[in-house]
Every structure is written in structure tokens, then in C-alpha cells.
Amino acid sequence: MYAFNYHAPKTVRQAATLLAKNEEGKVLAGGQTLLPTMKQRLASPSALIDLNHAEGMTGIEQKGRNIVIGAMTRHVEVATSAVVKNAIPGLAALAEGIGDAAVRNRGTIGGSIANNDPAADYPSAALALNATIITNKRKITADEFFQGMFATALEEGEIIVKVSFPIPSKAAYEKFPNPASRYALVGVFVAKKGSDVRVAVTGAGSNGVFRSKECEAALASRFNAKALDGVKVAASGLNADMHASADYRAHLIPVMAKRAVEKATAK
Amino acid sequence: MSAKTGVGAPVLRKEDFRFITGKGQYTDDINRQDQAYAYFLRSPHAHANIKKLDISAAQKAPGVLGVLTGDDLAADKIGGLICGWMIHNKDGSPMKAGAHPALAQGKVRYVGDHVAVVIADTYAQAKDAAEKIIVDYQVLPAVVDMNKAKSAGAIHDVAPDNVVYDWHLGDKAATDAAFSKAKHVTKIDLVNNRLIPNAMEPRAAIGDFDSGTGVYTLYTTSQNPHVARLVLSAFVGIAPEHKLRVIAPDVGGGFGSKIFIYAEETVCVWASKKVGRPVKWTADRTEAFLSDAHGRDHISHAELALDDKGKILGLRVKTKANLGAYLSTFSSCVPTYLYAPLLSGQYDIPAIYAEVEGIYTTTAPVDAYRGAGRPEATFLIERIIEKAARETGSDPAMFRRKNFIKSFPHQTPVIMAYDTGNYTASLDLALEMADYKNFAKRKKDSAKNGKLRGIGFSAYIEACGIAPSAAVGSLGAGVGLWESAEIRVNPVGTVEVLTGSHSHGQGHETTFAQLVADRLGIDIDSVAVVHGDTDKVQFGMGTYGSRSGAVGMSAIVKAVDKVIAKGKKVAAYALEAAEKDIQFKDGRFSVAGTDKSLAFGEVALQAYIAHKFNGQDLEPGLKEGAFYDPTNFTFPSGVHICEVEIDPDTGTTDIVKWTAVDDFGNVINPMIVEGQVHGGIAQGVGQALLEGAHYNADGQLVTASYMDYTMPRADDLPSFDVGMTNTPCTTNPLGIKGCGEAGAIAAPPAVINAITDAVGHEDVPMPATPYAVWQACQKGARKLAAE
Ligand SMILES: Cc1cc2nc3c(=O)[nH]c(=O)nc-3n(C[C@H](O)[C@H](O)[C@H](O)COP(=O)(O)OP(=O)(O)OC[C@H]3O[C@@H](n4cnc5c(N)ncnc54)[C@H](O)[C@@H]3O)c2cc1C
């Protein structure tokens, strides 16, 4: 780790000001991604602006037909929240499956979404549930927000403050973990709200989280697992590495989608 | 002495309180006054000439005490690291071993190779300064694929075709003759995947030169501190042995990787004099992945000849063994003498011929890793046996039973003389525990749920208790492999056991104390085990190859017997009786036929006060030492049965049942033994399902972190059903064989035999990850469709 300046702003506004002042600065959330990369000297921010003391960035509440989660809310809080479990059990289950207990106790939803790791779990939920990412400057829909591997619509100095998830009628997440890292090799989040069916896939795409048109088309008329029988997903544009070929990932997408739908439709 | 702590009792581990309350003293916990820190600049390239190495800016960086390179080692006449086992080629010529300097001298040969060391006041300063070192590399082609290594360009000038040795064992003519009579020949091609040890505690070292006395002290993560001192003194030339003290304090796991003498500790101890300060280095996990000696990595072809009744006539094996970029301390013997002599397995095989080529590649050195050669042999023999049974339509259990060795002692065609064993007994018990007879029904039930069920056997043998010194000497070993022990009895009757064995997870502080307390009839808490310090223990050969029980404890028994003999002399004076009338039983010396007796502690006091005898007739004190040199290896064996269920949609393998029946001979502490079995199976399942080191074509280690290298986790493993049979070893006083490596040896073929059974063909690699098994399922489905 290289030396850096440390700031602990009390408000989002102060954080934004500090971020504007420190050109090479970065905000620090749970530190589960940022600190390891700094330790390996792969990142060298001039300053860390620690969001852990900023007011108004944590907490989970139901606002009308939405679940609104503060950006600094830890994975463990989402996993164990009665509000989330009641309204979107698939989202709580997703959070429960991230990393290990230590990671879940520190890692945050805002950090995960801002980072947009192509194998992270939360981006699939945000995309499938048609979430809105609320920053200190504006509101961004999930469809616009995720722009490729580690790339998002966030601009310089923009900070995620909250994420708002419309409550679906049915939703679930199924993850096939990478055996080593246990990030998603293929993770599929399915959600149905009214007649709208969205299927978001993480881990598989060479350009980050994406919606599976094939699965969505199959499920649009009939939201049940059988509807996915025989659905094939093309391997082009999918990731290939030592853990899985693009073909294998393509094969796993409908398999995981099917299992997710089974979960979502189970009584 | 109570039965609760005697030999055979499941005594809780004495050392665990210290470990689980954070009171362990590991090398990195030790800090010397004015200690400085070392950072090693490592090669980013797999293979390159160093055209220029400019350290001038680094030398001027803040906090820097010294920047040292291979030139400094040469100037100080510090020798290179050695390989302690000479292997000879088929034609009798010696192997080709390239030089192994602790810091590169003109060339780097793997990613992670040591280019220079920076020593500074703080670790961060050393690391910062290292970034200022300018290295001009002339990059050379990486040599990663063993099959292409011969024409790839020399890594070491002495080995132009990158072949270290071309070795063989067995009778070629007799084996060819056996194959010419065969009714059936089973052939198999196997890759034994490369593993990275991953001890919980990374390697670490502190070198500390005392200019007042001229003595160097090295604190290091070692499984064998005396061997480290011997090598650093006699070969590397740091200092003569009486001026070099090596301390291996608590060590957090080794699995073989801490047997070897590495560049880092060599440099730390040498540099401590050069910079005039103690020098500490602690590996980070990335360094551990890159530079700890890796394990396994064989490519083999084997053929098994059968007669018309399914009896084995002969075995032929051709193996290429990856030795990495340099020959690590014992690397040369692992794929030769620790491998081919085990190829007879539990079977009566009249003729065996094995050929092994040791190959240099631009990868981390490969050396002994839990099992060392024996897992590779067992994987080969148990895979080909299973395949032969399938090809001849035999039940795999019956096929094994038919070919088991049934009378002992048994001389195999590949050196080993098995003293004893009862392979049928382990098989019978394992079949019963695994409920083998109802397997077909379970397979049907799985099929109903869309799952593929398979069962796999592994009837393993291993050679432990390495080893008779003269025997290994004749095979090329540079050292003898006896063990030493010293029993120091204090005047109040408490005892210190000094042993040359080293405990780094095995629980010696408990088992050794159990043995000594039992023999001397004293309380287990009156016994302390001292190890890991060359200033305390006179000499020892260390812990590896499951030798601490069979060899280390045998030495202890010998020393204990001497203590009792001396005690009898003391007791004779104190009880005013003839020495021949003194008996020792249950902790008391007594005069036969009388009620006169003294407790062990009372005799100890008499020995030290020496009031009752004349110091000229009998020396005061009570302290005895012994060296024990075994007369043979020991041969633990057993049968493991693995049952799997595979989800063909994802390729996920679920181990639904694991049966382990092991014959370790007599057992000192069954709880610790069972723990060793569990850990061994976990590592073996790790090899079979999860772990695999992967270098890309450029020689970069892709699996250099836990993001890509899959360590076994608790939820990857089932509960194990462990059973034991006991055929005591006949060649050591305790009848014990060794248990430390059995699980790691037995497990991989059991898993792969089960998976190949489930998918219906033999083409399943290790690690059998979901991706690999999914591919195997696709292939199996295609095969079924074609049939
Ligand atoms: C061992 C391990 C296992 C893991 N396993 C998984 C897994 O299975 N699935 C999974 O999805 N994830 C996994 N993670 C990732 C983890 O769950 C976190 O989600 C992730 O590290 C980012 O969250 P964080 O709060 O730690 O962010 P940080 O590491 O603090 O920050 C990450 C990045 O986001 C930026 N950032 C943070 N917060 C904000 C904000 N509010 N606004 C704008 N930018 C922001 C930071 O500047 C930084 O660039 C794992 C991590 C570890 C260490």
C-alpha cells in the first residue's frame, strides 16, 4: 500500500466536496475490493474519503411499492432484514450468498454496485428488479447504470446514496459459484412484476451484467420453469477462462434461470 | 499414570490451548531488537537473461540498509542451494543439476525467481526501494509444457534438452516377457495435477548475527531445523555448525513445503551480518503461491498385462515429472525412489518396469508434498486397476481381491519388501461400512432424480518411516534417515523429551508425552516435549514421510529403555538390593519378592543427590540419548471407497459417502490419527476435485491467489466414516506404521474412479471441477448415443 490522505466526512455533501478537491481520491465503503487492490499496489489513490461516517447513507425502508436501501448498508443487513425478506426474499438470499461472513459484515450494496464487478451478485438484482440508483446528483435506472466490465454511468465525483428496488410479484436468484472465488460463474436473477419479466445474468458476460433476451422471451408468456425447457443461449459475447468456457456458461444460463424460476414460483 | 492418558487413549492435544488462544509463537511473532525487513524483488518473467541490474537508486532510498544481489553472494563465496539426492540415468551417468543461486546470477527461470533483496528499516521502505531497481531483461521463451520441453531451449546450460535425468527401475526384459504372454492389456494415460501447498502460516525467516560471539541465529518455518543447519553450513557456507543456531518455533503447517531450504532464509541469515541488523522476511500469500515448492505434476502412460483369469502379469509405466526451474532440496527423489517402488500397490505383480524423466520447466520448483511420490504411484495403479476391472467385466472389489498379495513378507519387483499386511481385512470392512451390496439400488434411485451415481475404490499402500540410512544411501540420498531422542529426567522426576522430529500440526507434544508417560508410569503432565532448536536438540532429521511415529518414537523408546536401565542401577543402591532383582513396573522400581520399592521420581532424586552410591562406580544423574535407524520402511495400507452423485446439468460432483479403512498398525492416539486421516482426505479430495496450479503459455501463474486456486472448504467435504484394522508393523519396537499422508494418497483415485464410474468413461481429468465433469457428461451422453 502506498501512502494516502484520509478523510472522514460527516455528510454526503462534504464527501462530494472532498472528492472534487482530491483528483486522485476515491471513496471508501466496505473496503472489501478497494483495500485489497491498494495492498497489492494495484490502486494508489491520493486520498480515501471514508463514507463510513457520512449520515443518511444506511438503512432499509419500504417506501410505497419500493424497497429503498442506503448505499452504505452492509450485505449482512440486507440478508437479515425482515423488510427485505418479506418484500423481495430473493434479494435477501442473494446478499446471504455473497462471500463469507467477514465480507458480508463489511461489504456494502453501494460499493458493490459502484464497482460493477462482472461476477458480482448485486448488479443482477438491480438490473432484473429494474432498480433506480440514486446518487448525490441524480437518479439513474439500472438499464442505463451498468455499462460494461467495472464501468458504470457514475461520473467523476458522483456518489451513490441509495438504491431503490420496485417490489416484484415474484423474484429469485440462483448462483453457480466459481469454485475458487465463489463469485458468480453464472448468476441469474429472475423477476416478474405485472406482465414485465426481466432476467439478468451476471458472471457470464464478457461485458458485465446483461439481460437474457432468450430467457425473458420464454418466460414472458408463461412464468414457470417448464417454459425454459429447450431454451438455448448463444455463447458469443460470453466469458471464457480456465474455470469455464463460453459454451459452458451459455449452457448454465437457462439451467440457473430454471432453478431461479422454480424458487420464485415455489409456495 | 491413568488409562485415560496411556498409549491408545484419545487424549486431547496438549498444544491446542496455546494455539487456539493465540499464544502460539510462530516465526513472525518473534521480533529481535533493531530488526530490519527484507523484501525480495522477484522476476515478472518466466525466463529471461538479466542484461543489466541497476540498484543505485534503490540504495539511496529512505531507510535502506542494503540492496544485495547474486554478485554479492558470489563475492562472499556463498554457495547455491542444493538438491540432496543424486539420481543416476539409465546409462549410469549422474543427473544434470543446474546451479541454484539464492539470488539470480545473470538469469531468471520462473515468475517469482529472486532477483535482488532490499533490506530497510521498515517493510514498506524496502518495498518502495525495490521499485527503484532497474532490471533490463532479455526475455526468453517460457518452457511450460513438459511434452515440448526437450526442444524448447535450455533453461540450464548443463541440461541442453531440459532433461534432468532419464531414470528407470525394474526388469525390462522380464516385463516385456510378461506382456508377450498377456491375454489382455489395459492402457491408460494420466495427468497428476500440479498442486500448491498453502500451509496456513506462510514461510518466514529472521536472520540474526551476533557480532559479539560470531554466532548466527536463524528463526525459520522449517520441518527439519537440523537439516537446514547442515545444508546452510556444509553446502551454502554461511557458518560452521557450531556458529549457526537454527530455531523452528511453532510452525503452522508444512505438508512438505517447509522441508526444503529456500533462498529467502539463506539470504536473511547471510544478510544479517552484512547489514549488522537482524533481518526479517515474511511471505505474503502471493509469494507463497509463486515460490513455495509445488507438488505432483506428472504425465504418465501405463499398461497392465493380465492373463485369461484376470491375474496381473506385469506393469509398464512411463512418466514425465515436472521438476520446475531448479532442483529443490529433495525434488529428485520424489518422482523416482519415492514413486516407482510403490507401483506394486497391494498387488502381486510379478514384473514391473518404470521409466521416469525428470524435466526442467520455467515454473516454480516442484518437491515433496504430502505423500510425495506415493500419491502419484497410487493414483496410477488404482486408476489402471479400476479400468482393467471394467474392461474385463469384473467387479472392482473382486478384481482387487483376486490380485492382492496374501502372504508376507513379500518382495516386490521394485525394491520394497513388505513386512506385513492384511489387505483383504481392510477391503471386507470397507465394503461392509460402505454398504456396497446395495449400491446398485442407490444408483437407480439417483437416476430417478436425474443424477448420476458412481462408486470408486482405492486400495492404497504407502511406504512410511523413511528410512534405513544405508538403504537410502545406496540409492543416492545425501543423508542418513535415522532419528534421535534424548530423555532428560529432572531430580523431581519430571521429564523432558528432546526429539529431532518436528511438530507443525501433528500433535507430537501430546503423542510423544503419552508414550513416555505410559512407559515411565508417570503423569502425562510431567512430560514436556522439546523440539525445533538446534541448540537444545543435538541432532535430528525432522518430520516428513510419516516418520515421526515409526522412527522418531522408536528413538524415544530406545532412550526410555536406557533411562529405565540406569534407574534400576540407582534403585539397586538405594534399596540395597542386587541390580538383577530390581523390577520396573507401573512407575515403581521394586525388589523382586519384597515390598521394598521406590517411585520413579524418588529414584530420579537418588540419581541426582548421589548419596547412596559412589560416583566412581555409577555416574550421577539421569539422562539418556538414543539414535534409532530403522531396518525397513513401514507399509501402512487401506481401502477407501468414495460414492458420488453428479448433477449432469451443471457437472457438480457431490461426495455422498466416504468410507476409509486404514491399517496403521498400533495407534498411540486414535483421535489424532483420525484427525490426520480427515486432513489427508481433505487434501486428496482437494487434488481430485478442486486444486490445480495453472501456468499459461508465457509461464505466468494464473492460479496465484484464492480467486483462482480452489482450496478445499469444509462444505466441499462430506463426513468421513473412518474404520481401522491393525496389522502391527514387525520392524519397529512399537508396531506403528504412520498415518500422516494416507488420506492424501488414498483419496484422488477413489474420487476419480467414482466419477468415471458415474459418467461411464475414463476421460475425467483432475481437478474434476464442475466444468470438467460437465464436459465428461457431454462426452458420456455422446458415447451412449453412439452405442
Ligand atoms: C473474499 C471476498 C469474497 C467476495 N465474494 C463476493 C461474492 O461472492 N459476490 C459479490 O458480489 N461480491 C463479493 N465480494 C465483494 C464484496 O462483497 C463487496 O461488494 C465489494 O468488495 C464492494 O463493496 P465495498 O463496500 O467493500 O466497496 P469498497 O471496496 O469500499 O469500494 C469499491 C469501489 O466502489 C467505490 N464506491 C464504494 N461506495 C461507493 C458509493 N457509495 N458511491 C460511489 N462509489 C463507491 C469505491 O471508491 C471503490 O472504487 C467479495 C469480496 C471479498 C473480499
Side-chain angles (χ1 to χ4, degrees):
Chain A
M1 205 178 271
Y2 297 102
F4 56 87
N5 292 318
Y6 174 81
H7 304 278
K10 290 276 183 299
T11 63
V12 176
R13 183 185 285 269
Q14 281 177 14
T17 311
L18 283 161
L19 202 49
K21 269 198 218 148
N22 290 275
E23 212 176 299
E24 301 283 303
K26 267 190 171 303
V27 296
L28 173 70
Q32 296 302 293
T33 294
L34 186 53
L35 295 182
T37 35
M38 287 171 66
K39 278 189 184 171
Q40 287 175 291
R41 299 192 159 192
L42 298 172
S44 49
S46 61
L48 283 189
I49 294 125
D50 186 352
L51 299 179
N52 284 277
H53 309 279
E55 276 164 20
M57 290 193 77
T58 58
I60 299 169
E61 55 181 338
Q62 181 160 352
K63 277 197 175 161
R65 296 299 297 151
N66 294 293
I67 299 296
V68 182
I69 303 177
M72 286 300 292
T73 307
R74 317 281 168 186
H75 306 330
V76 64
E77 295 170 72
V78 176
T80 55
S81 155
V83 175
V84 178
K85 279 182 169 173
N86 181 46
I88 323 177
L91 184 62
L94 173 147
E96 176 70 40
I98 297 175
D100 51 40
V103 170
R104 291 192 292 275
N105 282 331
R106 294 301 303 166
T108 66
I109 189 168
S112 179
I113 285 175
N115 197 43
N116 193 18
D117 186 307
D121 297 306
Y122 267 128
S124 69
L127 191 56
L129 292 165
N130 199 11
T132 300
I133 288 90
I134 300 158
T135 74
N136 58 330
K137 296 184 177 159
R138 57 187 168 140
K139 294 180 176 179
I140 313 169
T141 64
D143 282 314
E144 292 165 55
F145 184 84
F146 300 108
Q147 301 198 338
M149 267 221 235
F150 299 105
T152 67
L154 288 176
E155 286 163 5
E156 278 305 277
E158 196 167 8
I159 296 170
I160 302 177
V161 182
K162 287 183 175 120
V163 186
S164 175
F165 295 93
I167 298 172
S169 46
K170 289 180 173 121
Y173 180 61
E174 188 73 24
K175 159 166 157 179
F176 193 81
N178 174 315
S181 70
R182 296 202 174 171
Y183 274 72
L185 196 73
V186 170
V188 178
F189 202 107
V190 298
K192 178 178 162 61
K193 187 171 194 306
S195 59
D196 191 19
V197 173
R198 295 167 65 108
V199 177
V201 179
T202 186
S206 52
N207 209 21
V209 65
F210 67 95
R211 286 171 64 183
S212 168
K213 297 289 162 236
E214 296 94 333
C215 294
E216 287 185 1
L219 291 168
S221 50
R222 196 160 56 114
F223 193 78
N224 82 28
K226 279 220 163 13
L228 286 162
D229 281 346
V231 168
K232 294 249 176 306
V233 171
S236 62
L238 298 189
N239 234 344
D241 54 32
M242 63 165 282
H243 301 288
S245 63
D247 280 341
Y248 180 49
R249 284 188 164 94
H251 164 83
L252 285 174
I253 291 169
V255 172
M256 290 300 115
K258 205 168 162 174
R259 291 179 186 186
V261 172
E262 273 164 13
K263 260 192 212 168
T265 54
K267 278 281 145 303
Chain B
M1 227 295 307
S2 82
K4 282 199 199 116
T5 59
V7 167
V11 182
L12 293 183
R13 297 185 1 145
K14 293 174 76 165
E15 46 272 78
D16 282 351
F17 180 77
R18 177 166 101 245
F19 292 148
I20 63 180
T21 56
K23 297 286 164 63
Q25 274 287 305
Y26 299 89
T27 299
D28 191 58
D29 293 322
I30 295 165
N31 292 297
R32 307 296 297 162
Q33 193 161 6
D34 293 330
Q35 173 178 290
Y37 295 83
Y39 176 78
F40 287 85
L41 179 69
R42 292 174 187 275
S43 171
H45 302 294
H47 197 188
N49 288 320
I50 298 175
K51 292 175 67 184
K52 220 179 108 203
L53 182 57
D54 180 357
I55 57 170
S56 52
Q59 281 171 319
K60 288 181 223 128
V64 169
L65 303 166
V67 181
L68 302 172
T69 68
D71 287 347
D72 298 303
L73 283 168
D76 282 6
K77 300 200 164 49
I78 298 296
L81 303 173
I82 61 151
C83 177
W85 199 304
M86 173 54 75
I87 299 297
H88 290 91
N89 294 302
K90 286 175 181 166
D91 65 8
S93 60
M95 68 183 184
K96 295 166 186 156
H100 187 181
L103 296 170
Q105 292 173 340
K107 198 175 184 192
V108 285
R109 296 179 173 89
Y110 67 101
V111 172
D113 202 356
H114 315 74
V115 176
V117 65
V118 182
I119 296 154
D121 285 333
T122 71
Y123 182 69
Q125 287 173 328
K127 211 167 170 178
D128 288 345
E131 290 182 0
K132 297 192 160 65
I133 297 176
I134 301 159
V135 192
D136 184 2
Y137 292 105
Q138 177 195 22
V139 178
L140 301 168
V143 185
V144 174
D145 182 348
M146 275 198 278
N147 287 323
K148 295 183 190 150
K150 283 188 195 172
S151 52
I155 299 167
H156 293 271
D157 293 341
V158 294
D161 57 357
N162 294 320
V163 175
V164 181
Y165 50 70
D166 178 14
W167 174 90
H168 66 163
L169 184 69
D171 187 334
K172 183 173 191 304
T175 308
D176 287 345
F179 274 82
S180 68
K181 285 186 294 187
K183 280 282 168 320
H184 181 86
V185 175
T186 294
K187 299 180 180 176
I188 201 163
D189 288 290
L190 295 168
V191 174
N192 203 287
N193 47 325
R194 185 184 184 110
L195 303 176
I196 303 178
N198 277 298
M200 207 184 288
E201 178 206 23
R203 290 191 293 116
I206 307 169
D208 187 355
F209 176 71
D210 182 336
S211 59
T213 59
V215 172
Y216 291 85
T217 302
L218 171 65
Y219 301 84
T220 182
T221 48
S222 174
Q223 300 178 214
N224 43 355
H226 291 89
V227 176
R229 186 182 63 164
L230 177 68
V231 169
L232 290 171
S233 291
F235 298 94
V236 179
I238 298 288
E241 280 169 289
H242 68 295
K243 295 285 189 191
L244 174 59
R245 176 181 184 186
V246 178
I247 299 174
D250 284 331
V251 173
F255 312 108
S257 70
K258 292 172 182 168
I259 299 171
F260 323 122
I261 291 80
Y262 288 90
E264 291 88 352
E265 59 258 30
T266 305
V267 167
C268 284
V269 70
W270 161 68
S272 66
K273 183 177 179 187
K274 291 198 86 72
V275 301
R277 301 257 297 267
V279 176
K280 180 187 241 181
W281 169 79
T282 304
D284 65 23
R285 190 53 68 180
T286 308
E287 289 182 291
F289 272 102
L290 291 175
S291 69
D292 288 3
H294 294 180
R296 317 280 192 258
D297 208 348
H298 286 192
I299 301 174
S300 296
H301 174 79
E303 301 183 355
L304 191 73
L306 304 177
D307 71 9
D308 54 353
K309 298 188 186 67
K311 283 280 288 176
I312 301 169
L313 299 172
L315 173 69
R316 248 185 215 146
V317 176
K318 234 179 151 70
T319 293
K320 281 195 167 82
N322 196 341
L323 297 174
Y326 299 97
L327 295 187
S328 174
T329 316
F330 287 111
S331 59
S332 58
C333 73
V334 176
T336 50
Y337 287 111
L338 297 184
Y339 168 67
L342 275 300
L343 285 170
S344 195
Q346 299 188 356
Y347 309 103
D348 187 3
I349 306 181
I352 299 176
Y353 181 62
E355 295 170 278
V356 180
E357 278 182 319
I359 311 278
Y360 272 133
T361 59
T362 54
T363 63
V366 179
D367 206 323
Y369 172 64
R370 201 169 191 171
R374 293 154 292 166
E376 295 89 317
T378 301
F379 185 65
L380 185 138
I381 185 81
E382 286 306 290
R383 285 288 292 119
I384 200 167
I385 288 278
E386 195 86 19
K387 185 165 188 252
R390 287 170 188 165
E391 285 177 359
T392 57
S394 322
D395 173 84
M398 281 302 297
F399 186 82
R400 286 182 168 82
R401 193 187 296 277
K402 185 189 318 179
N403 283 291
F404 275 161
I405 296 161
K406 292 181 192 84
S407 75
F408 294 89
H410 174 87
Q411 176 64 53
T412 71
V414 277
I415 301 177
M416 292 301 181
Y418 302 165
D419 62 326
T420 183
N422 185 348
Y423 308 142
T424 312
S426 325
L427 179 63
D428 286 342
L429 181 56
L431 289 174
E432 192 193 309
M433 287 169 58
D435 189 24
Y436 183 56
K437 61 177 190 300
N438 290 313
F439 172 72
K441 182 181 173 303
R442 296 196 293 277
K443 192 175 171 83
K444 258 195 209 131
D445 291 345
S446 295
K448 274 184 219 150
N449 298 320
K451 300 281 174 66
L452 304 171
R453 192 177 272 255
I455 196 160
F457 288 80
S458 174
Y460 74 94
I461 190 152
E462 56 163 329
C464 291
I466 182 168
S469 300
V472 293
S474 74
L475 302 178
V479 289
L481 289 172
W482 43 264
E483 196 45 86
S484 83
E486 192 182 331
I487 305 290
R488 290 187 196 157
V489 184
N490 298 314
V492 290
T494 57
V495 171
E496 281 130 30
V497 181
L498 289 84
T499 168
S501 300
H502 187 277
S503 190
H504 34 277
Q506 293 85 350
H508 294 171
E509 288 172 41
T510 307
T511 48
F512 289 12
Q514 255 180 286
L515 174 68
V516 171
D518 192 298
R519 292 268 163 151
L520 293 179
I522 58 177
D523 195 277
I524 190 167
D525 291 328
S526 299
V527 183
V529 175
V530 178
H531 69 98
D533 183 343
T534 59
D535 261 13
K536 293 181 180 167
V537 179
Q538 187 245 331
F539 212 95
M541 295 311 298
T543 289
Y544 37 83
S546 303
R547 66 191 305 276
S548 299
V551 189
M553 282 181 145
S554 293
I556 290 172
V557 166
K558 246 181 114 173
V560 166
D561 287 346
K562 290 186 189 176
V563 165
I564 294 171
K566 170 88 181 276
K568 282 182 179 171
K569 290 193 205 306
V570 176
Y573 283 106
L575 293 166
E576 294 169 348
E579 188 189 334
K580 66 173 175 26
D581 292 334
I582 303 292
Q583 295 172 335
F584 182 68
K585 196 166 169 274
D586 296 336
R588 292 195 84 80
F589 292 90
S590 59
V591 184
T594 73
D595 61 358
K596 289 203 294 182
S597 73
L598 286 173
F600 178 76
E602 293 171 307
V603 170
L605 186 64
Q606 288 299 330
Y608 282 96
I609 61 176
H611 293 170
K612 295 281 172 69
F613 55 89
N614 178 334
Q616 278 67 51
D617 297 337
L618 180 65
E619 282 180 24
L622 195 53
K623 178 186 90 168
E624 298 289 345
F627 285 70
Y628 173 79
D629 199 357
T631 57
N632 193 357
F633 290 85
T634 65
F635 298 98
S637 63
V639 173
H640 287 214
I641 302 177
C642 169
E643 198 167 318
V644 299
E645 203 176 51
I646 291 167
D647 177 352
D649 285 341
T650 61
T652 306
T653 299
D654 188 15
I655 296 176
V656 289
K657 194 168 169 59
W658 194 284
T659 308
V661 175
D662 298 291
D663 184 345
F664 298 134
N666 294 334
V667 162
I668 306 288
N669 183 323
M671 180 199 71
I672 287 180
V673 166
E674 197 171 325
Q676 290 286 320
V677 171
H678 285 203
I681 297 171
Q683 266 172 310
V685 171
Q687 169 162 30
L689 291 182
L690 306 165
E691 300 181 53
H694 180 65
Y695 283 92
N696 69 12
D698 297 332
Q700 295 293 333
L701 183 62
V702 178
T703 51
S705 83
Y706 296 127
M707 290 300 281
D708 292 299
Y709 189 87
T710 313
M711 284 302 283
R713 295 158 161 102
D715 65 355
D716 290 316
L717 298 160
S719 276
F720 308 121
D721 294 331
V722 178
M724 279 184 208
T725 57
N726 178 6
T727 322
C729 171
T730 63
T731 59
N732 65 48
L734 288 162
I736 63 182
K737 295 180 179 174
C739 65
E741 295 152 299
I745 293 170
V751 175
I752 301 300
N753 285 338
I755 296 175
T756 51
D757 181 43
V759 301
H761 63 87
E762 303 291 334
D763 200 4
V764 175
M766 292 198 293
T769 59
Y771 173 38
V773 174
W774 176 75
Q775 288 173 300
C777 290
Q778 305 294 103
K779 189 173 167 180
R782 278 200 301 278
K783 228 180 125 219
L784 274 180
E787 273 163 14

